[in-house]
Amino acid sequence: MRESRDGMTADRFSGSASASADSDPLVLDIDDFKGAFSFDGLFGNLVNEILPSYQEEESDSAEGHGNGVGSDALPNGNLRAPPDAGKSAQGLSSPLFPEVNALLSLFKNSCKQLVDLRKQIDGNLSDLKKEVVVQDSEHRKTLSELEKGVDGLFDSFARLDLRISSVGQTAAKIGDHLQSADAQREVASQTIELIKYLMEFNGSPGDLMELSPLFSDDSRVAEAASIAQKLRSFAEDDIGGQTMTISSAVGNATASRGLEVAVANLQEYCNELENRLLSRFDLASQKRELSTMRECAKILSQFNRGTSAMQHYVGLCPMFDLEVMNADAELVLGDQGAQPSPSNVARGLSSIFKEITETVRKEAATIAAVFPSPNDVMSILVQRVLEDRVPKLLEKLLLKPSLVSPPPMEEGGLILYLRLLAVAYEKTQELARDLRGVGCGDLDVEGLTESLFLPHKDIYIEYEQASLRQLYKAKMEELRAEGQQSSESSGTIGRSKGASMASSHQQISVTVVTEFVRWNEEAVSRCTLFSSQPAAIAANVRAVFTCLLDQVSIYITEGLERARDSLTEAAALRERFVLPSVSRRVAAAAASAAEAAAAAGESSFRSFMVSVQRCGSSVAIVQQYFANSISRLLLPVDGAHAASCEEMATAMSSAEGAAYKGLQQCIETVMAEVERVLSTEQKVADYRSPDDSIVPDHRPTQACSKVVAYLSRVLESAFTALEGLNKQAFLTELGNRLHKGLLNHWQKFTFNASGGLRLKRDITEYGEFVRSFNAPSVDEKFEQLGIMANVFIVAPESLSTLFEGTPSIRKDAQRFIQLREDYKSAKIAARLSSLLPSSS
């Protein structure tokens, strides 16, 4: 399009240019400027005829610039003079651009025409503006008239809508009146019918033969039942109003008497109709005709909200037959006269309750298909289960025993009743949850289930405490019987060695204490099962735990006392054979008896240490049980935890007292044997050899070796049995007693220099042994003994400087110095009178 237009323009301008050259006027048209106008094209077309070389020069210039070779352009942008520049200079007299005049004329003419075209266009634009103003004014006028017309239409529509609304309201009122009139007419018609039926029932009392066919037609039973209920309600309301209103009118009295006859006849008819429907319901139930059952149930729902039909249906359920309930008891209790087992009872209850749940679930499907109010029927059914079938089974299962004369353990004891109670309670709770899942309406299943066990739960904790006491008593009798049987079977074997004083059956048994804890755990589990309130649980658990504390305290205290009795018997046996030696034969017999007494003492010592160890283990078991199981149940009640801790400490105090006394007896037993060994084995020659010039014996004396061997042997059980502070206190006390006993023993001898070396060796042996006690005070005392033994070794003149660094032992050192063989001959007393105080 552009090329064609440019071509046309070029032709026109070409012609115009030619005409211009011939002095013809140039004509420019407005159409030349329409479309894609190009000023370069217009200019080219104007000068094309006058300057034919214009386009050629431009094309040549473009080619020259494109080739770049032979160009006359210099690098600075100026043109290079052509070779014939000299010749051109000769013709300077001719004009350089001869077409300038023609072009000037052409441009002036074109400019004039362009000015004329602009004026023409401006005129046209002015005319168009005026025309637009006129059209706009007319358009605004038309719009204003249209707006006025639309406003009128809106007003008309508003009036029309208001009229329609008014007419609609009037029509609605008319419809309401018509509906009310129709309802009144219907009520009046029904009232007339009811009055007619009421008059039929207002005949003679008990006369139902003259009633309308409606009341005897089986196909219209539902309608008859509805009308009978309406008549009965109307008559009863009227009689009630007559009773409340005091009137002496004869007519009113007559009406009242008449309505009373009608009410009686209506009641009789309703009873007859209800019985007839129930019979039909029973027959349909036997045939499983659900549609007939549903129809009868719907009609019967008009009589006392269908309660009679619901109860009648539930009462006919086979699950409440007497044979079924007797079978329940046989399944749970087993053979008559046999002792029920909690595990068998649990299995039996699970089976029965599962069968009950399945039966109720099946009945629920039938009830939902038959009754208009299935939730009410399910509530009655589940209530019958929990008030009839389950209680009768529990009555036979849970026979509450007497606390005054409880059943013996051979018959199960109180623990059997408690275990059966826990099993029955748990299984009944599971049944309640299952029945709640099946559906039971608004019935409080949980509350009803709890009420079944209220007679048992009221004094439950008393039975629990009595059961624990009975179990403990039976266990103690069993242990005593085992001990007696063991004593009878053993006879007098080992009696000479003291074996009868430390029989194994008399020892504290950790297994027995563990059994006590197991009983308590079982009792605590029942406490948490039978109660959901934290305060009640805490109270019951504390009472049960107190029973455990009493049992463990009594058991371990008695065990420690029995072990102490063995120590006492061994001490009596030692004193019994401490006789003066009147002859060699008698002395030999006494020594033999003393060895037997020593063996009994050692056996009793070991037995008591075992008892102490087991006592500690038993207490640890109770403390661990308290921390793991009891404390968390006591925390919800303020002060309960602290009170139980105090009770536990009080309960164990008696055992601690027995243990302390027994450990004191153990020390006495050990020291008695040490003294016996020293008195029988220590010889005078051990510390004062006849020939003081021979080479001294660096071995400990035989008495020392036997004492250390005895102590090592007998204290092995003490190291194992005792722990912590108890062990430290016992060994410290024993070390102090040993130190004191050795001092007293050595006061009986006289020492020479070689004897002093032998004594020092004995002291070293004793010191090395007591270091195993880990008692620093005892170690210090034996170190001081080693220092004091030097008084027998040094020369008399060196005694004055021997204790300069240890003034604390000077008094004991003086006692030792007096035991020197040369004490009098060397006049040592005079030498030390200025250093050591006088013994007087």
Side-chain angles (χ1 to χ4, degrees), residues 1 3 71 79 122 165 223 252 300 316 328 338 342-343 369 491 529 545 555 577-578 584 625 724 759 777:
M1 294 296 292
E3 291 178 358
S71 176
L79 295 177
D122 290 340
S165 176
E223 183 181 357
N252 287 342
L300 286 169
L316 292 178
D328 292 346
S343 59
L529 175 65
F545 183 67
Y555 176 70
F577 293 105
V578 177
R584 182 177 298 179
Y625 168 63
L759 175 62
S777 61

Side-chain angles (χ1 to χ4, degrees), residues 748-783:
K748 303 173 184 178
F749 297 91
T750 302
F751 300 84
N752 57 15
S754 60
L757 292 174
R758 198 80 182 274
L759 175 62
K760 194 172 181 66
R761 181 65 183 86
D762 285 352
I763 293 174
T764 302
E765 188 73 13
Y766 290 127
E768 289 179 356
F769 174 73
V770 297
R771 269 197 290 270
S772 62
F773 291 3
N774 290 325
S777 61
V778 176
D779 293 341
E780 183 180 358
K781 288 184 177 181
F782 276 88
E783 289 175 0

Side-chain angles (χ1 to χ4, degrees), residues 138-152:
E138 293 179 356
H139 180 68
R140 291 179 182 274
K141 183 178 179 180
T142 303
L143 287 178
S144 177
E145 293 176 355
L146 288 176
E147 287 178 357
K148 292 180 180 179
V150 169
D151 292 340

